[in-house]
Amino acid sequence: MTNTSKKINPVVCATYVVLLMMPEMFMLNTHTWWDAPVATLFNILYYGVFSWALCALVSLTGPKTERTIHTILQSVVAAYSISNVFMLIMFNRHWDAYSWQFLCETNGRESSEFISSYILSLPTLGILSVYILLFAAEIWLGRRAMRWRIFPSQRIPAVAFTVLCIVMIGQTVFFGPDVEANYDRVARFKSPIKRNAMWNIWQSTLTYMGFRDEFSRCACSLQEYKEKVTCSEKEADFVLIVGESFNRHMSNLYDGTYDTNPRLKARANQGGLFVFNDVVASDNGTTQNFKQFLSPVAVGDSSSWCDAPLFPFILRRCGYNVVFYSNQYAGMEMDKEFNASMGFFNAPGIGPYIFDHHNTRTFDYDMQLIDNYCKNRNNIEAVRRNFIIFHLYGQHAAYGERHPAEFAKFKPCDIKNRLPLSKEQRGVVADYLNATLYNDFVVDSIISMFSNRNAIVMYFSDHGEEVYNYRLQQGRTDLKTDDTRAIRYQLDIPFLIYVSPLYAARHPQEVERIRKSVNRPFMTDNLPQVIFDLLGVHTRYYKPSRSVINEKYHPQKQRKLQVGKLYD
C-alpha cells in the first residue's frame, strides 16, 4: 500500500469487494435463470460503493495510519469471509441467527472436537490457500497501481457514479428494526438486497434479539401459570430419553442395512418395545427442537412455544418429581444464561421452575452419565411418579468420539455405498454406525434399569443427521434453502415406547393404544400431548387430537416444519 494524497488505491478497494463477494458466490440462488446474474451484479455494485466509501474515508488520514487501518479492517473482513466460505462448503450454512447461536452455545469439548474434525482438514487448507494468494496479489499489485481520484472528474462518469451511490446507499431503508417489516418492504419494492449476505446478517441479528425476548416471555408463562392440574396416573415412572443426531435410515430398526440396533431390535421382537415408523423432528437444530417439544404449543399455532408453560413444569404441578440428566450441558455450562442446546431454560426465571434435579457434570461417554445417575439414584428419585429426562450425546459429531473402543465393530472396508466415498469418508460412516451401536447399548441399559418397575420408557432423537446418504455431504444444513431430499435424512428419527411388564399388566388399554398407533405419522412438536395422554394429565393445554396414541388423533396431511417448509 503506497503513500496517500487523498486518493484511493483501486487494488485495495477491489480486495474488499472480492473478500465480500466470495461468500456471496457460494450463496447464489438459482431458482430462475436470472437470479445468479442479478445477485452477482447487484452485490458487486453494492460492495463496490461500500468499499469506495471506506477507502475514501481512510485516505483522508496519513499514509501510515491508512495502511494500519486497512490492515485491521481487511483482517476483520477476511475473518468473516473465510468463516462464511468454510461453513458454506462444509455444512451448506452461512452466518445467520442460528449459526451465531450455535457458536455462543458451543462448549469447550465440542470446540476441540470440531477443530480436530473440520478445521484441521484438507478443504480448510485449500480455502486458506486461496485467501493467502489473494492477499499476496493485493500486495504485489497494490505497490504498482496508480491511485485514483476519490470522485470522477468528468461529467458523465460523475453523474453515473452519483446515481449509483444514491441507489446503493438508499438500500439502507431495508435495514429497519423490525424483521418482518424489512421482509415485507423488500418484497414490496422487489429489491435485490434480499440476495445480499449483509442484509441477511442484519435480519439474523434482529432474530437473535428476538430469542432473548422469547426467554423473557417463557419465564412469564411459567410464573403466571395458576391452573390447578391433576393427573390420573398415581404410581408409574416415565423415562424420556432424548437422543442426538440419529438418522433412522442408518438403523436396522428401520430400513438401515447394518446391524446397529441388535438389543433394541430384540426387545421389539419380544413385544415390549414399540417402534413408530413415521416420526419426524420439526427442525434439524437441537435448540429449536427442545423449545418446541418441551412446549404444548405446536408449530403453526397462533402462539409461540414460549407463550405456554413448558410441560415439565406442568408435570411438577401435578405431583411428578422431574429430573434432567444431560451429557451435553451441565455444571458450568448450565450456568451460562444462553448456552447450548438446553441454554434457553437457564435464562432467569425458567430453570428453577421446570426441574427438581439436574446433573452437574458431563462425561466422555453416555453410559458414564447413566452410571453416575445410578450411583445417585436414591437421592434423586421419589418413591413413585418420577419423570426422568436423559439427554444423551448420541451420534453427535465427531462420531468417533461418541463410543468406547470396544464398540468399534464397523470398519471403513465394511461400508458399502453407491457414492464414490474415499477411505476417510467410509471411516466417517463407520464411526457413525459404531456410535449408533453404542447408543443401542446405552438406551437398552436405561430400559433395563426400569424394566422391573411400573414404568414407561420413551426414546427419540432430537433430529437426524446426513451421513453420505445420497450425496457427498455429512452433518446438517440449512433446510430452508437446501435440497428437499436432505429433509428425510436430517429429520427422519426413531421414536420408541417401551412398557415394563408391570406397567403392561396394570395398563392393558394403554398398551393396546400404543400398539395400534405405531404406523401413524407424527412430529415431535406434539410430544407433550402424548405424555399428557399416557399420564392422564388434566390441563387446558391437553389436546387429544394431537396425541398420536389417542383414538381422536388427527394426523396432519402435511407436517409444517419450523423453517416454513412442508415435510410431506
Side-chain angles (χ1 to χ4, degrees):
M1 299 179 189
T2 58
N3 293 346
T4 66
S5 56
K6 295 184 180 179
K7 292 183 178 181
I8 62 174
N9 189 320
V11 175
V12 175
C13 188
T15 300
Y16 282 110
V17 176
V18 173
L19 287 172
L20 292 168
M21 280 300 300
M22 288 181 76
E24 300 282 359
M25 299 307 295
F26 287 94
M27 296 166 62
L28 287 174
N29 187 325
T30 56
H31 288 309
T32 59
W33 68 267
W34 48 266
D35 271 329
V38 168
T40 301
L41 178 60
F42 174 83
N43 286 323
I44 289 175
L45 295 175
Y46 183 79
Y47 290 132
V49 171
F50 170 82
S51 301
W52 163 79
L54 180 63
C55 290
L57 288 173
V58 176
S59 71
L60 301 178
T61 65
K64 291 184 179 179
T65 303
E66 181 185 23
R67 287 194 296 269
T68 301
I69 292 174
H70 279 308
T71 299
I72 295 171
L73 291 178
Q74 286 193 355
S75 298
V76 172
V77 176
Y80 156 78
S81 182
I82 293 171
S83 60
N84 224 353
V85 169
F86 169 80
M87 290 192 296
L88 286 161
I89 290 176
M90 302 297 285
F91 308 110
N92 195 28
R93 281 189 178 275
H94 53 82
W95 279 119
D96 58 14
Y98 299 109
S99 301
W100 177 249
Q101 186 180 26
F102 289 153
L103 178 64
C104 293
E105 293 172 349
T106 301
N107 57 36
R109 174 182 174 184
E110 288 186 324
S111 298
S112 62
E113 292 171 355
F114 178 83
I115 290 173
S116 62
S117 298
Y118 297 108
I119 302 297
L120 305 176
S121 65
L122 286 176
T124 306
L125 182 61
I127 294 170
L128 292 176
S129 298
V130 171
Y131 281 88
I132 290 172
L133 290 174
L134 171 63
F135 283 117
E138 179 195 21
I139 293 172
W140 190 84
L141 293 172
R143 291 173 177 171
R144 292 160 176 78
M146 292 184 58
R147 300 178 70 86
W148 291 359
R149 293 171 57 93
I150 292 178
F151 202 79
S153 57
Q154 297 181 357
R155 179 177 297 178
I156 294 178
V159 170
F161 188 67
T162 300
V163 171
L164 175 64
C165 289
I166 291 173
V167 171
M168 292 302 160
I169 294 174
Q171 302 298 314
T172 56
V173 301
F174 302 112
F175 287 78
D178 184 272
V179 172
E180 296 304 322
N182 290 341
Y183 280 122
D184 293 342
R185 196 176 296 120
V186 167
R188 187 164 63 252
F189 290 99
K190 296 180 170 39
S191 171
I193 194 70
K194 65 183 179 182
R195 297 178 176 86
N196 178 264
M198 291 300 174
W199 183 77
N200 283 288
I201 288 176
W202 174 260
Q203 292 291 86
S204 294
T205 301
L206 297 178
T207 302
Y208 188 71
M209 292 169 63
F211 289 162
R212 292 174 176 263
D213 176 64
E214 287 182 341
F215 298 157
S216 177
R217 287 160 56 193
C218 182
C220 289
S221 297
L222 295 171
Q223 294 160 17
E224 296 174 359
Y225 181 58
K226 306 300 181 184
E227 180 186 25
K228 183 178 180 180
V229 187
T230 60
C231 178
S232 59
E233 177 57 62
K234 301 301 181 185
E235 294 185 354
D237 293 328
F238 197 115
V239 182
L240 179 65
I241 310 171
V242 183
E244 172 72 52
S245 303
F246 194 140
N247 174 347
R248 73 169 183 242
H249 301 293
M250 307 287 280
S251 166
N252 64 325
L253 276 173
Y254 292 91
D255 54 351
T257 59
Y258 299 97
D259 188 19
T260 53
N261 286 102
R263 296 170 179 82
L264 295 178
K265 193 169 181 63
R267 285 191 184 273
N269 291 336
Q270 293 166 5
L273 181 69
F274 300 94
V275 179
F276 286 68
N277 297 310
D278 189 8
V279 178
V280 300
S282 62
D283 195 80
N284 65 353
T286 302
T287 301
Q288 296 307 107
N289 277 311
F290 260 96
K291 288 177 180 178
Q292 207 62 63
F293 66 62
L294 286 180
S295 172
V297 175
V299 176
D301 284 354
S302 58
S303 56
S304 175
W305 70 272
C306 57
D307 295 323
L310 305 183
F311 84 78
F313 180 58
I314 294 177
L315 295 184
R316 288 187 70 191
R317 290 289 299 271
C318 67
Y320 265 85
N321 172 51
V322 181
V323 180
F324 174 69
Y325 248 61
S326 171
N327 201 28
Q328 293 197 40
Y329 307 104
M332 272 180 21
E333 293 299 323
M334 293 286 283
D335 295 332
K336 290 167 64 176
E337 183 175 339
F338 299 112
N339 83 323
S341 300
M342 313 310 300
F344 68 91
F345 57 57
N346 293 312
I350 299 179
Y353 283 80
I354 57 179
F355 300 128
D356 291 286
H357 305 278
H358 64 71
N359 58 310
T360 57
R361 59 166 296 192
T362 59
F363 300 86
D364 291 336
Y365 303 114
D366 285 334
M367 199 60 216
Q368 294 171 324
L369 175 81
I370 307 308
D371 291 339
N372 180 265
Y373 178 85
C374 291
K375 181 180 178 181
N376 297 286
R377 193 172 186 178
N378 292 336
N379 298 323
I380 295 173
E381 293 181 357
V383 176
R384 54 170 110 39
R385 294 214 298 175
N386 297 284
F387 192 94
I388 303 155
I389 304 173
F390 290 112
H391 178 212
L392 306 179
Y393 231 128
Q395 292 96 301
H396 194 294
Y399 316 131
E401 303 294 328
R402 299 284 83 82
H403 63 85
E406 58 266 30
F407 282 84
K409 170 185 174 181
F410 299 98
K411 309 297 181 186
C413 60
D414 299 325
I415 306 306
K416 299 176 177 60
N417 196 306
R418 62 180 179 80
L419 298 173
L421 300 182
S422 65
K423 183 178 179 180
E424 180 182 1
Q425 291 168 331
R426 293 179 187 275
V428 169
V429 177
D431 285 340
Y432 185 83
L433 296 175
N434 291 328
T436 305
L437 180 66
Y438 180 62
N439 185 74
D440 177 74
F441 169 69
V442 173
V443 175
D444 182 72
S445 298
I446 296 173
I447 290 175
S448 296
M449 288 167 51
F450 293 88
S451 61
N452 294 325
R453 310 237 318 239
N454 180 7
I456 314 170
V457 180
M458 179 184 290
Y459 170 79
F460 71 98
S461 182
D462 58 351
H463 50 73
E465 183 92 346
E466 195 173 338
V467 193
Y468 303 115
N469 296 103
Y470 73 97
R471 60 179 179 177
L472 296 176
Q473 173 67 41
Q474 172 222 339
R476 285 166 280 145
T477 60
D478 185 352
L479 294 179
K480 193 170 185 177
T481 58
D482 199 5
D483 186 333
T484 54
R485 288 176 293 175
I487 290 176
R488 302 291 175 180
Y489 300 101
Q490 297 183 38
L491 297 186
D492 286 2
I493 57 171
F495 190 90
L496 319 173
I497 297 180
Y498 167 82
V499 293
S500 70
L502 183 56
Y503 180 89
R506 295 183 180 181
H507 303 81
Q509 293 180 334
E510 305 300 317
V511 176
E512 186 60 24
R513 289 203 296 149
I514 294 171
R515 189 191 313 278
K516 290 180 177 179
S517 62
V518 295
N519 292 317
R520 295 172 180 170
F522 183 66
M523 192 162 72
T524 55
D525 61 331
N526 276 313
L527 177 72
Q529 306 302 333
V530 184
I531 294 170
F532 291 157
D533 197 349
L534 284 169
L535 298 181
V537 177
H538 300 282
T539 169
R540 67 177 182 269
Y541 292 104
Y542 171 50
K543 297 178 174 60
S545 63
R546 294 186 176 184
S547 170
V548 69
I549 66 167
N550 199 286
E551 61 183 9
K552 298 180 180 179
Y553 180 61
H554 292 160
Q556 294 174 298
K557 293 182 179 179
Q558 294 181 313
R559 286 168 279 191
K560 185 177 182 180
L561 307 176
Q562 293 189 48
V563 295
K565 282 188 174 182
L566 296 176
Y567 176 82
D568 295 320

